[in-house]
Amino acid sequence: MGQKKDLTGSEKSKIVRYLAEGCSSLKIAKLLKRDHRTIKSFIQNSQQGRKKRVEKPRRKITAHELRKVKRAAAKMPLATSLAIFQSCNITGVPKSTRCAILRDMAKVRKAERRPPLNKTHKLKRQDWAKKYLKTDFSKVLWTDEMRVSLDGPDGWARGWIGKGQRAPVRLRRQQGGGGVLVWAGIIKDELVGPFRVEDGVKLNSQSYCQFLEDTFFKQWYRKKSASFKKNMIFMQDNAPSHASKYSTAWLARKGIKEEKLMTWPPCSPDLNPIENLWSIIKCEIYKEGKQYTSLNSVWEAVVAAARNVDGEQIKTLTESMDGRLLSVLAKKGGYIGC
């Protein structure tokens, strides 16, 4: 039996098993037909375990340097810890220490995606807030569309996994597998819809008006009383199919015109409370990284999630409008947190 340099993974597993059965190192060497010194050396090294890492002394950060780091973090959003510390001329600080210091004064967050606001946009948002400041928002129907995909937003399929467990496998599809376009509205404590836009239909002015006729007007609006129709204010954003002359004239023939059709400021998804409803529904249908195999299954999930949204949740959203208008004015037309 010649002495070999390394044991294979299979041999190491057998050694552990034989030791558990009470075999001696000499007997194991005979069973594996390996040199006794090789087996004995492996057992000794395994019993010693890993050497404890010697902690290197960390560079101390002064209070003055901490204040500089805090100011730099505020001026440099989304910068790395290294870039922040380098801007303060603080060197020799390991990454673990930099991150520990920054965690006490900041959070790791993704950049928010919003339409850009220029000076004109901000002025129009302020004018809009002043115009509707005394409006009874319980009479406003807030509407919007939402597209849902089979896989959900990127980055949502993340979460805690126990030690020793494997991460679930996610399906990969070319072009994302398509999606479903959903329209809905909320007024006071009531949810209108949701209604599904027919697959393959691109919403232009004509198809948008026909969709409203077949869903909103026939299935909900016609059932309301004359007094309700007289006081209701219809809100929609400035999407081309909504704000076109064709759509405006069509809604006017339906009695939704002038003060009954709310004007909407540009680039203002943060002012529409139904955007928060979409967030509630998406959190429900994509929880735990759920995926869907067909457009019908994701639509059924949207309907089920919408039914679980109670009137109090909707009322909280619609009653938040007074605060949103005041926030717009306080921020001089800038974006609000909602």
Side-chain angles (χ1 to χ4, degrees):
M1 294 184 295
Q3 184 179 0
K4 296 181 181 179
K5 290 184 179 181
D6 297 315
L7 292 166
T8 65
S10 175
E11 287 174 328
K12 291 177 182 178
S13 299
K14 289 179 181 179
I15 293 172
V16 173
R17 188 170 70 249
Y18 289 144
L19 286 173
E21 293 173 358
C23 297
S24 65
S25 60
L26 184 61
K27 185 176 181 181
I28 294 172
K30 291 179 179 179
L31 289 171
L32 297 181
K33 298 181 179 180
R34 297 296 300 262
D35 189 273
H36 179 225
R37 289 170 296 177
T38 304
I39 304 298
K40 196 172 181 180
S41 176
F42 170 75
I43 295 173
Q44 288 175 347
N45 292 336
S46 299
Q47 290 173 345
Q48 287 176 359
R50 292 183 178 180
K51 293 183 179 179
K52 189 175 182 180
R53 188 178 68 177
V54 178
E55 290 287 341
K56 295 181 180 179
R58 294 186 176 182
R59 183 189 186 285
K60 292 185 177 180
I61 307 296
T62 65
H64 175 65
E65 288 175 329
L66 280 176
R67 290 193 293 271
K68 288 173 67 177
V69 169
K70 189 172 184 179
R71 286 195 296 269
K75 292 179 180 178
M76 303 169 61
L78 304 181
T80 63
S81 63
L82 180 60
I84 292 172
F85 274 71
Q86 284 179 342
S87 69
C88 301
N89 295 321
I90 302 174
T91 58
V93 182
K95 183 179 179 181
S96 58
T97 304
R98 296 196 305 263
C99 293
I101 291 171
L102 288 171
R103 272 194 291 270
D104 292 334
M105 61 182 71
K107 287 183 179 180
V108 177
R109 297 182 64 181
K110 287 184 177 180
E112 296 181 2
R113 293 185 177 183
R114 286 175 171 173
L117 283 180
N118 57 34
K119 189 174 181 180
T120 303
H121 295 156
K122 292 180 179 180
L123 289 174
K124 288 184 176 181
R125 284 163 60 90
Q126 291 181 78
D127 292 340
W128 177 85
K130 292 173 183 176
K131 178 179 179 181
Y132 291 102
L133 197 56
K134 296 182 179 180
T135 301
D136 182 0
F137 290 111
S138 66
K139 294 180 172 58
V140 177
L141 175 68
W142 308 93
T143 72
D144 194 22
E145 294 94 7
M146 168 187 69
R147 181 169 292 278
V148 289
S149 64
L150 299 180
D151 299 332
D154 293 338
W156 279 31
R158 301 178 67 181
W160 294 100
I161 296 175
K163 291 182 178 180
Q165 293 182 326
R166 295 186 63 185
V169 177
R170 282 183 64 80
L171 301 174
R172 292 185 64 182
R173 282 180 277 253
Q174 283 189 331
Q175 309 301 326
V180 176
L181 187 62
V182 181
W183 183 97
I186 55 174
I187 181 170
K188 198 175 180 179
D189 58 356
E190 184 178 358
L191 173 63
V192 182
F195 299 117
R196 178 178 178 178
V197 178
E198 187 179 346
D199 297 340
V201 173
K202 184 177 180 180
L203 280 187
N204 53 30
S205 300
Q206 290 79 12
S207 59
Y208 173 66
C209 293
Q210 187 59 52
F211 171 79
L212 289 181
E213 176 65 32
D214 297 337
T215 55
F216 168 68
F217 282 101
K218 285 185 178 180
Q219 299 183 38
W220 187 81
Y221 189 71
R222 287 183 180 177
K223 299 176 183 179
K224 296 299 180 179
S225 64
S227 61
F228 177 89
K229 295 176 183 177
K230 181 180 179 181
N231 295 319
M232 190 198 80
I233 301 172
F234 187 85
M235 173 272 155
Q236 59 182 2
D237 61 22
N238 294 321
S241 59
H242 301 172
S244 67
K245 291 181 180 179
Y246 180 93
S247 299
T248 304
W250 185 85
L251 287 171
R253 292 195 295 271
K254 292 288 185 179
I256 299 177
K257 56 184 177 179
E258 298 173 353
E259 294 302 318
K260 287 176 59 62
L261 180 61
M262 178 177 281
T263 57
W264 193 248
C267 306
S268 299
D270 57 323
L271 300 180
N272 191 350
I274 202 172
E275 296 289 349
N276 300 90
L277 175 71
W278 294 144
S279 297
I280 293 171
I281 291 176
K282 283 185 175 181
C283 286
E284 178 64 26
I285 66 176
Y286 295 124
K287 65 181 179 182
E288 299 176 0
K290 186 172 178 60
Q291 291 180 289
Y292 299 88
T293 56
S294 68
L295 298 181
N296 286 334
S297 62
V298 72
W299 164 243
E300 290 169 0
V302 170
V303 174
R307 287 174 180 167
N308 289 333
V309 180
D310 58 41
E312 284 301 315
Q313 286 178 286
I314 297 172
K315 190 176 181 181
T316 300
L317 296 179
T318 55
E319 288 183 346
S320 70
M321 288 309 302
D322 291 318
R324 297 186 194 219
L325 267 64
L326 292 174
S327 296
V328 170
L329 294 174
K331 295 190 176 184
K332 298 182 179 179
Y335 277 120
I336 63 172
C338 55

